[in-house]
Amino acid sequence: MRKQIAAANWKMNLTLEQGETLIDEILSSPLNVNEDKLAVFAVPFPYLINVKNKLAVKKNVFAAAQNCYNKKSGAYTGEVSAEMLKSIGLQYVVLGHSERREYFNESNAMLAEKVNICFENGLQPIFCCGEPLSIREAGTQNSYVETQLKESLFHLTADQLKGFVIAYEPIWAIGTGKTASSDQAQEMHAHIRSVLAAQYGNAVADSISILYGGSVKAANAKEIFGKPDVDGGLVGGASLVAAEFTTIINSLK
Ligand code: PEP
């Protein structure tokens, strides 16, 4: 069975103290996690070690980085390498979030390099894809997302892609309060899985967790996660509120 994942994306929010309080509140609530249902917290770089240590009291909850650089090491002031993340014992890294693509010009080709460097360091990417509003309005979202996947992932072997994690996040639904309907999410997730199956076969496609992201909240998580090809969510705003994110974790199927 592929993993169901509720992943928090704190983005550039919260002080360390606020973040630790949030984690404490979430960990003190009953969490329905197990080996197949995970909670992941993508937190700002300076908090990773603290958050990772806090989460160590509970199984099946993990810290994640929100990004890493596409070079191994060297004169790249201000950047963080995959090797550094590995050295603090991380397993997960969010790559290619639409905010990074837009504000930091991350291209599909650059993301392919980031994926490679994560694999070289034993890190599992949570690879984000998704179309802007203009593409959705033009009705070409399927081929847009397909190109993102092909250009950043399709150089990988079937073995590398087995158990991979993708987050489909329509940009028009991120932080806007405008959620894709559960049917729109299912439609795209099924498309993504069919594209993966055509390239790598059904077994690999079925092993890949495809998370939905875009204004997921406690009130809509169960319906969205209930769709057959939706394997959880990547959550921004609602992950900053303990009661919201706890309910979201407990909405995984
Ligand atoms: C995100 O940051 O990936 C996201 C989906 O944000 P929000 O849940 O706030 O729309």
Side-chain angles (χ1 to χ4, degrees), residues 9 11 97 99 169 173-176 213-216 234-237:
N9 177 14
K11 312 192 188 195
H97 191 280
E99 289 150 16
E169 300 204 305
I174 296 179
T176 57
S215 300
V216 171
L234 178 58
V235 185

Side-chain angles (χ1 to χ4, degrees), residues 148-165:
Q148 289 180 318
L149 299 177
K150 285 188 172 159
E151 293 187 358
S152 297
L153 301 183
F154 277 21
H155 61 286
L156 298 172
T157 64
D159 258 4
Q160 285 175 312
L161 267 186
K162 216 174 280 162
F164 197 81
V165 184

Side-chain angles (χ1 to χ4, degrees), residues 37-206:
K37 283 190 208 191
L38 314 179
V40 173
F41 294 83
V43 307
F45 288 130
Y47 309 162
L48 276 168
I49 293 179
N50 297 53
V51 168
K52 183 180 174 288
N53 290 341
K54 270 196 171 293
L55 296 176
V57 300
K58 187 138 184 90
K59 274 186 169 172
N60 306 308
V61 295
F62 300 94
Q66 296 177 10
N67 180 35
C68 70
Y69 202 46
N70 58 327
K71 305 282 185 230
K72 197 172 167 353
S73 62
Y76 302 104
T77 303
E79 290 297 335
V80 171
S81 72
E83 190 179 29
M84 292 172 185
L85 300 176
K86 178 191 176 190
S87 76
I88 62 164
L90 280 200
Q91 277 172 254
Y92 291 96
V93 185
V94 176
L95 290 184
H97 191 280
S98 60
E99 289 150 16
R100 298 230 38 105
R101 291 176 186 262
E102 183 180 350
Y103 306 138
F104 304 95
N105 299 318
E106 294 194 357
S107 64
N108 293 340
M110 180 195 245
L111 290 168
E113 291 176 358
K114 291 193 179 196
V115 168
N116 290 346
I117 212 151
C118 281
F119 273 120
E120 282 162 25
N121 288 284
L123 296 166
Q124 172 59 62
I126 298 175
F127 178 83
C128 302
C129 58
E131 79 285 358
L133 184 60
S134 56
I135 296 289
R136 172 63 64 162
E137 284 175 346
T140 52
Q141 65 272 14
N142 283 4
S143 61
Y144 185 92
V145 169
E146 205 171 318
T147 301
Q148 289 180 318
L149 299 177
K150 285 188 172 159
E151 293 187 358
S152 297
L153 301 183
F154 277 21
H155 61 286
L156 298 172
T157 64
D159 258 4
Q160 285 175 312
L161 267 186
K162 216 174 280 162
F164 197 81
V165 184
I166 290 171
Y168 167 63
E169 300 204 305
I171 298 171
W172 46 272
I174 296 179
T176 57
K178 207 173 178 186
T179 320
S181 69
S182 55
D183 287 339
Q184 281 174 317
Q186 167 58 25
E187 201 180 321
M188 178 58 89
H189 284 224
H191 175 64
I192 291 173
R193 210 177 296 286
S194 75
V195 169
L196 292 164
Q199 183 75 9
Y200 291 99
N202 285 335
V204 172
D206 286 343

